[in-house]
Amino acid sequence: MEIDELISRINELAHKKHDSRLTPDEENEQKELYSIYLDNIRIQLKNQLDNIKIAERETPGNDEKN
């Protein structure tokens, strides 16, 4: 399932839950979709953090030349 489809289905279930009640199957589906979505977010965040490179800033007057 593509992420857009996943989000769309999560939203559908959320609206239905707000308007009425979800069936037990829908509740289970919603939990599973939330889990898939959150796992995806965690993977994206980890990838972003893994690709961060820290560069030291040069400060004026702090030459190491002697």
Side-chain angles (χ1 to χ4, degrees):
M1 180 179 282
E2 294 290 324
I3 193 71
D4 292 337
E5 295 170 351
L6 181 77
I7 292 170
S8 178
R9 184 62 180 150
I10 288 171
N11 287 335
E12 286 175 22
L13 292 170
H15 289 298
K16 183 175 181 184
K17 183 177 181 179
H18 180 71
D19 295 338
S20 60
R21 300 196 97 172
L22 296 177
T23 66
D25 286 341
E26 289 171 328
E27 287 178 358
N28 290 334
E29 179 186 8
Q30 187 181 43
K31 288 177 186 177
E32 184 178 331
L33 294 174
Y34 280 147
S35 178
I36 293 168
Y37 180 74
L38 290 175
D39 287 344
N40 188 280
I41 295 295
R42 287 183 188 105
I43 290 168
Q44 289 178 13
L45 179 60
K46 183 181 180 315
N47 287 338
Q48 285 181 345
L49 293 174
D50 287 345
N51 289 317
I52 291 176
K53 298 195 187 325
I54 299 174
E56 293 185 31
R57 186 185 328 191
E58 292 183 23
T59 56
N62 195 12
D63 292 335
E64 292 190 23
K65 296 179 184 176
N66 289 328

